[in-house]
């Protein structure tokens, strides 16, 4: 039978009273004073050592990142390091000159300080600041309770604080265990997932779409296994969880249809390889290249640096122009006109040579130029050329070809006509004045 929380708390209080009374003994009080003296020495020594160590550390420009981070940890934990480095020599000296029992409290304090230092250093390997703080604090609490032999009482108190949900008993201790175990398993799953994803991306035998699909499948498998294994280890009944998850799944299916549709569409895109990372696409007014294939959306980066997150469903149900689906070759057309007095044969030759002189225009797929019509004031042409790097932009290459045409036409005396109109003002005051003057002259001549 589990003791009542009140009994456990009273027993723990009695132990605290006994421990406080033991501190009144002479040698126990001496050990506490010695520990306080060592702490004061560590604080004073840090004020002298820390600035010099900081200046020395700033001068280490060539150090790798991991070594520099370790140096920063040493600087931040300088007081604790000096305390540990001082208290243990004091303990060893006292054990040689006096009874070992007279260093018991100092040994407990030294073990606690050393354990805190080790936990603080190891916690620096955790990248997330919040998780690092939680792990460090939890480690300090657990080590302190273990060294003070209070783990059994603490576990009993936490386990006695429980609620009953049907046949399942849920206690605070079970929740803490679940958080710790699930956190460790998720950390291991994330570590394996990141390293496996890096290896998959380095494999050139796997297409980009299959790489993304394999990485997503591996992530779902690892994190799902970590979740269910963690619950099973804690002791949660997975049968009831399966029924609950089924009910939740039905509700999510009705309430989150768009989300599920985007998830399924993402899997379809990865399987049929219609769109893959690096492809250049046009969707409506959005033109750019695929930066990342996500579970719910596709990241498209445009030439002006904007990143559009397009839902996967839009790529499945809408019309998408994939400029680099089977290959990266793209044909571009530009239109222009010349005057009727210019030789069309010369115009075509000059236009082809001008387009071929542009750097990004392909030479093994030479440009072509054709007459497409006789306009009101010009002979109309179309110039077609090929490129193989659409990610470099389309507007800029068109502009470069137009500029090359302009320079070539000016060099060969080819003119680009433009409409000209003659506008007459019917009630121009000057015309009316001239007419009045002519009328006066006519009247004068008739009078003479």
């Amino acid at each position: 039978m589990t003791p009542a929380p009140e009994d456990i708390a009273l027993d723990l209080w009695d132990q605290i009273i006994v421990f406080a009374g033991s501190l009144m003994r002479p040698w126990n009080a001496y050990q506490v004073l010695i520990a306080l003296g060592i702490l004061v020495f560590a604080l004073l020594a840090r004020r002298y050592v820390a600035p010099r160590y900081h200046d020395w550390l700033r001068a280490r420009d060539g150090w790798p990142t991991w070594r520099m981070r370790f140096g920063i940890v040493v600087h931040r934990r300088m007081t604790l390091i000096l305390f540990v480095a001082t208290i243990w020599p004091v303990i060893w000296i006292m054990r040689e000159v006096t009874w070992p029992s007279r260093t018991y409290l100092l040994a407990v304090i030294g073990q606690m300080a050393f354990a805190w230092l080790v936990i603080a250093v190891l916690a620096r390997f955790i990248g997330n600041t919040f998780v690092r703080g939680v792990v460090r604090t939890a480690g300090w609490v657990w080590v302190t309770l273990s060294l003070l032999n209070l783990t059994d009482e603490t576990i009993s108190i936490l386990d006695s604080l429980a609620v009953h949900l049907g046949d399942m008993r849920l206690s605070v201790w079970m929740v803490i265990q679940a958080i710790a175990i699930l956190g460790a398993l998720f950390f291991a799953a994330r570590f394996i997932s990141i390293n496996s994803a890096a290896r998959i991306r380095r494999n050139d035998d796997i297409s980009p779409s299959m790489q993304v699909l394999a990485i997503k499948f591996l992530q779902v498998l690892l994190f799902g296994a970590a979740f269910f294994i963690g619950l099973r280890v804690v002791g949660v009944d997975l049968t009831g969880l399966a029924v609950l998850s089924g009910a939740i799944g039905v509700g999510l299916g009705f309430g989150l249809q768009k989300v599920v549709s985007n998830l399924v569409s993402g899997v379809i895109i990865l399987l049929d390889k219609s769109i893959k990372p690096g492809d250049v696409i046009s969707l409506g007014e959005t033109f750019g290249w695929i930066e990342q294939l996500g579970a719910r959306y596709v990241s498209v980066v445009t030439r002006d640096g904007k990143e559009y997150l397009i839902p996967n469903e839009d790529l499945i149900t809408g019309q998408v122009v994939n400029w680099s689906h089977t290959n990266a070759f793209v044909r571009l057309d530009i239109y222009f006109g010349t005057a009727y007095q210019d030789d069309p044969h010369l115009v075509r030759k000059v236009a082809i040579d001008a387009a071929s002189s542009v750097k990004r225009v392909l030479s093994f797929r030479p440009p072509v130029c054709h007459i497409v019509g006789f306009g009101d004031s010009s002979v109309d042409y179309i110039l077609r050329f090929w490129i193989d790097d659409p990610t470099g932009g389309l507007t800029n290459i068109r502009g470069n070809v137009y500029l090359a045409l302009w320079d070539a036409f000016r060099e060969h005396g080819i003119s680009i006509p433009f409409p000209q109109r003659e506008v007459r003002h019917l009630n121009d005051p000057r015309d009316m004045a001239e007419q009045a003057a002519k009328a006066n002259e006519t009247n004068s001549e008739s009078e003479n």
Side-chain angles (χ1 to χ4, degrees), residues 260-273:
V260 176
S261 176
N262 286 321
L263 293 176
V264 176
S265 299
V267 175
I268 294 175
I269 290 174
L270 294 174
L271 290 176
D272 64 9
K273 303 178 183 179

Side-chain angles (χ1 to χ4, degrees), residues 5 8 21 42 56 80 107 116 197 206 224 226 246 259 268 286 319 377 401 406 432 447:
I8 300 174
W56 176 82
L80 188 58
W116 286 4
I206 305 176
V259 175
I268 294 175
T286 303
Q319 183 178 5
S377 57
V401 173
W406 177 271
M432 296 177 65
E447 291 176 356

Side-chain angles (χ1 to χ4, degrees), residues 10 15 40 75 148 181 198 244 255 260 269 286 291 315 348 355 399 441 446:
L10 290 175
Q15 295 184 27
V40 173
H75 180 264
L148 296 178
I181 295 174
L244 179 61
V260 176
I269 290 174
T286 303
E291 180 72 16
L315 301 176
R348 292 180 61 194
E441 291 178 358
S446 60

Side-chain angles (χ1 to χ4, degrees), residues 14 209 222 313:
D14 292 339
S209 298
L222 290 174
E313 185 182 7

Side-chain angles (χ1 to χ4, degrees), residues 332-384:
L332 300 177
D333 301 338
I334 62 175
Y335 296 87
F336 64 94
T338 60
Y340 275 95
Q341 66 267 22
D342 296 324
D343 184 6
H345 302 284
L346 178 62
V347 171
R348 292 180 61 194
K349 181 179 181 303
V350 171
I352 292 174
D353 293 340
S356 301
S357 65
V358 179
K359 184 177 181 181
R360 291 174 56 193
V361 176
L362 300 180
S363 59
F364 60 89
R365 290 192 174 189
V368 296
C369 184
H370 302 288
I371 296 177
V372 294
F374 298 104
D376 295 338
S377 57
S378 66
V379 180
D380 299 327
Y381 299 85
I382 182 174
L383 177 62
R384 291 175 172 173

Side-chain angles (χ1 to χ4, degrees), residues 48-61:
Y48 176 80
V49 176
R52 291 164 176 77
Y53 175 78
H54 183 265
D55 295 338
W56 176 82
L57 190 64
R58 289 176 63 89
R60 310 296 96 171
D61 295 333

Side-chain angles (χ1 to χ4, degrees), residues 2-9 153-164 169-174:
T2 305
E6 296 80 3
D7 298 335
I8 300 174
E153 291 79 1
T154 304
I155 292 175
S156 299
I157 292 176
L158 296 177
D159 188 62
S160 62
L161 302 174
V163 295
H164 294 273
R169 182 177 180 273
L170 184 64
S171 65
V172 176
W173 174 241
M174 182 180 293

Side-chain angles (χ1 to χ4, degrees), residues 101-151:
S101 59
R102 294 179 176 179
T103 60
Y104 174 76
L105 286 179
L106 285 177
V108 173
I109 296 173
Q111 292 174 1
M112 193 180 303
F114 179 74
W116 286 4
L117 179 61
V118 172
I119 292 172
V121 173
L122 294 179
R124 290 297 305 176
F125 291 97
I126 301 176
N128 188 282
T129 306
F130 174 76
V131 176
R132 180 169 64 244
V134 171
V135 172
R136 182 173 60 239
T137 304
W140 288 348
V141 172
W142 181 256
V143 166
T144 303
L145 294 175
S146 299
L147 294 176
L148 296 178
N149 295 323
L150 297 176
T151 54

